[in-house]
């Protein structure tokens, strides 16, 4: 595998009191005005930075999800990906259940924790909001609607549809047989449903699944969405009645960690589905934004190609957010932000370094 072609690093400088946000960065995207937006999967907010000097982003602004969505957020959202399209900022939660971690203090309690699967409704979030600087009465936040009759569970119409899917349905079984439309039984880190990638192209929304991975093939979902009133979005059914398309990708057995548009191509950051050490690899799916119908892609030159690895085997510096960047020429590179940054990546009390790699 090719060594990652590092061009250099840029500094993200957080405001004092918000510097802990850079410990869990999970997504990044540039808006049309040059602002850099990032999200953390451990917080309920989006962060915006402006270029303040060469290779430095500062002027940090903090936007709580409650402000952006206009409703109270009660628990972890687990924001995993961002995209920007036509003045709208899109974001998605993992849509996953989670299993509690053993703490290593008391075996009986650890066994109980390992048997406990938690379901947090706000993780089932796919939404778009007008950029705060340009919001107007005609531009309002909108989010994917909940499944019918499931307003309190958080399960949305996408999960409801996927439960009927021949490939993905078995991974979305309900936790309780008495509640067939309720919480998921299989957590994300057990190869259950886990959305970590997002790319928006016109009305088409692409969702990359970290899990499940099927016989070594990662899953990319594609659906067209439309506003249905009251600030809600819903999948638009095609003439043949389908509401989404599936694309199966040979990513060396890895799941999708992030998606990023590059012209008509999709850049795909891939990594292990389970919480184990493994490669973090960047792929290019040529003409990925023009896919039609269900597809299956083996690795092939000019179709689906690995570009380079970003992981060196350490337990920190987990690449999670990817955004197209301009270093020497327009869109000639990608900026990568990291979860659990290494000590060497910290810069002073309020800064963290992101990497830029040549495409």
């Amino acid at each position: 595998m090719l060594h990652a072609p590092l061009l250099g690093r840029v500094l993200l400088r957080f405001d004092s009191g918000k510097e802990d946000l850079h410990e869990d960065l999970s997504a990044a995207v540039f808006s049309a005005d040059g602002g850099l937006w990032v999200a953390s999967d451990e917080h309920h907010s989006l962060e915006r930075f402006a270029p303040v000097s060469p290779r430095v982003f500062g002027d940090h602004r903090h936007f709580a999800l409650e402000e952006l969505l206009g409703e109270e957020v009660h628990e972890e959202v687990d924001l995993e990906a961002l995209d920007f399209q036509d003045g709208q900022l899109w974001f998605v939660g993992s849509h996953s259940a989670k299993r509690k971690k053993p703490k290593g203090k008391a075996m009986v309690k650890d066994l109980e924790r390992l048997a406990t699967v938690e379901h947090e409704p706000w993780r089932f979030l796919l939404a778009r909001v007008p950029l705060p600087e340009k919001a107007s009465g005609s531009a309002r936040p909108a989010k994917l609607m909940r499944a019918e009759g499931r307003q309190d569970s958080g399960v949305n119409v996408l999960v409801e549809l996927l439960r009927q899917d021949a490939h993905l349905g078995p991974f979305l079984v309900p936790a309780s047989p008495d509640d067939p439309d309720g919480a998921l039984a299989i957590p994300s880190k057990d190869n259950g449903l886990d959305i970590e990638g997002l790319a928006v192209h016109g009305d088409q929304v692409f969702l990359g699944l970290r899990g499940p991975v099927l016989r070594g093939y990662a899953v990319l979902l594609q659906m067209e969405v439309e506003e249905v009133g009251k600030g809600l979005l819903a999948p638009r059914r095609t003439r043949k009645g389908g509401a989404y398309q599936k694309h199966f990708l040979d990513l060396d057995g890895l799941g999708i960690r992030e998606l990023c548009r590059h012209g008509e191509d999709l850049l795909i950051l891939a990594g292990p589905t389970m919480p184990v050490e493994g490669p973090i690899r960047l792929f290019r799916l040529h003409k990925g934004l023009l896919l039609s119908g269900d597809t299956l892609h083996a690795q092939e030159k000019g179709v689906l190609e690995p570009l380079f690895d970003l992981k060196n085997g350490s337990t920190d510096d987990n690449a999670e957010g990817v955004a197209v960047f301009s270093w020497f020429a327009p869109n000639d590179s990608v900026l990568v932000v990291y979860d659990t940054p290494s000590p060497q990546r910290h810069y002073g009390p309020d800064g963290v370094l992101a990497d830029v790699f040549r495409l």
Side-chain angles (χ1 to χ4, degrees):
M1 186 56 55
L2 292 176
H3 180 69
L6 181 67
L7 288 174
R9 288 177 165 175
V10 299
L11 174 64
L12 277 61
R13 180 161 284 152
F14 288 73
D15 277 355
S16 177
K18 303 291 185 190
E19 59 270 11
D20 61 322
L21 293 170
H22 62 49
E23 294 294 331
D24 308 288
L25 297 182
S26 58
V29 71
F30 284 94
S31 51
D33 61 2
L36 173 61
W37 293 77
V38 301
S40 163
D41 57 9
E42 299 291 336
H43 296 270
H44 306 157
S45 61
L46 300 178
E47 318 303 322
R48 183 192 183 278
F49 298 86
V52 294
S53 61
R55 315 304 185 215
V56 179
F57 288 86
D59 190 20
H60 175 207
R61 296 181 62 188
H62 176 80
F63 296 92
L65 283 186
E66 293 184 351
E67 299 175 34
L68 297 175
L69 294 173
E71 56 184 304
E72 189 174 351
V73 179
H74 301 286
E75 69 273 313
E76 180 181 314
V77 178
D78 199 20
L79 287 175
E80 295 290 357
L82 300 171
D83 203 1
F84 173 81
Q85 177 85 183
D86 296 332
Q88 303 269 3
L89 191 65
W90 290 75
F91 45 93
V92 67
S94 64
H95 286 62
S96 67
K98 64 178 183 179
R99 189 179 299 280
K100 283 193 170 183
K101 292 181 181 179
K103 292 186 175 181
K105 296 180 179 179
M107 183 175 294
V108 172
K109 289 187 177 180
D110 275 349
L111 291 174
E112 289 177 355
R113 292 180 64 83
L114 201 57
T116 302
V117 175
E118 296 180 322
H119 177 88
E120 295 172 338
W122 272 101
R123 286 173 166 242
F124 295 80
L125 177 67
L126 171 63
R128 68 185 184 197
V129 297
L131 289 191
E133 297 89 342
K134 301 178 180 179
S136 66
S138 60
R140 305 176 188 176
K143 63 180 182 178
L144 200 64
M145 62 190 299
R146 303 298 194 199
E148 186 175 354
R150 306 301 309 175
Q151 296 300 315
D152 296 328
S153 74
V155 170
N156 61 26
V157 292
L158 175 62
V159 174
E160 185 178 54
L161 288 168
L162 295 179
R163 277 184 157 148
Q164 311 306 315
D165 188 85
H167 295 100
L168 301 176
F171 296 89
L172 279 72
V173 295
S176 170
D178 298 325
D179 188 11
D181 300 318
L184 305 180
I186 305 176
S188 56
K189 302 306 183 286
D190 295 357
N191 205 34
L193 180 66
D194 191 2
I195 297 175
E196 294 208 0
L198 170 68
V200 182
H201 180 60
D203 291 330
Q204 298 293 324
V205 176
F206 294 83
L207 299 171
L209 306 191
R210 177 175 176 176
V213 170
L214 307 183
R215 190 73 182 192
Y217 282 84
V219 184
L220 174 66
L221 298 176
Q222 178 185 358
M223 65 179 179
E224 187 175 344
V225 298
E226 60 183 349
E227 287 200 42
V228 293
K230 298 182 179 179
L232 297 176
L233 301 169
R236 176 181 291 159
R237 292 188 177 272
T238 65
R239 292 180 180 178
K240 296 181 180 180
Y244 61 90
Q245 300 166 63
K246 294 173 292 185
H247 309 292
F248 296 93
L249 311 174
D250 175 8
L251 304 180
D252 298 322
L254 304 172
I256 297 173
R257 295 290 188 91
E258 182 60 292
L259 299 173
C260 181
R261 290 175 287 119
H262 191 238
E264 296 179 339
D265 300 345
L266 273 174
L267 301 178
I268 303 171
L269 187 69
T273 300
M274 307 296 185
V276 297
E277 288 303 306
I280 302 294
R281 189 164 292 159
L282 191 69
F283 290 82
R284 181 185 294 274
L285 178 60
H286 293 263
K287 307 290 185 182
L289 296 176
L290 306 181
L291 294 175
S292 179
D294 293 346
T295 63
L296 185 147
H297 298 275
Q299 290 186 32
E300 180 182 351
K301 186 174 178 59
V303 180
L304 176 62
E305 298 179 277
L307 298 181
F308 50 82
D309 281 6
L310 291 90
K311 187 70 172 176
N312 60 10
S314 63
T315 57
D316 51 21
D317 278 352
N318 296 307
E320 294 217 359
V322 178
V324 170
F325 191 72
S326 299
W327 187 269
F328 292 119
N331 303 328
D332 64 348
S333 54
V334 287
L335 178 143
V336 178
V337 298
Y338 297 85
D339 190 359
T340 320
S342 63
Q344 294 80 9
R345 196 168 292 283
H346 291 266
Y347 192 91
D350 56 3
V352 68
L353 295 168
D355 289 335
V356 179
F357 297 98
R358 178 172 55 85
L359 288 173

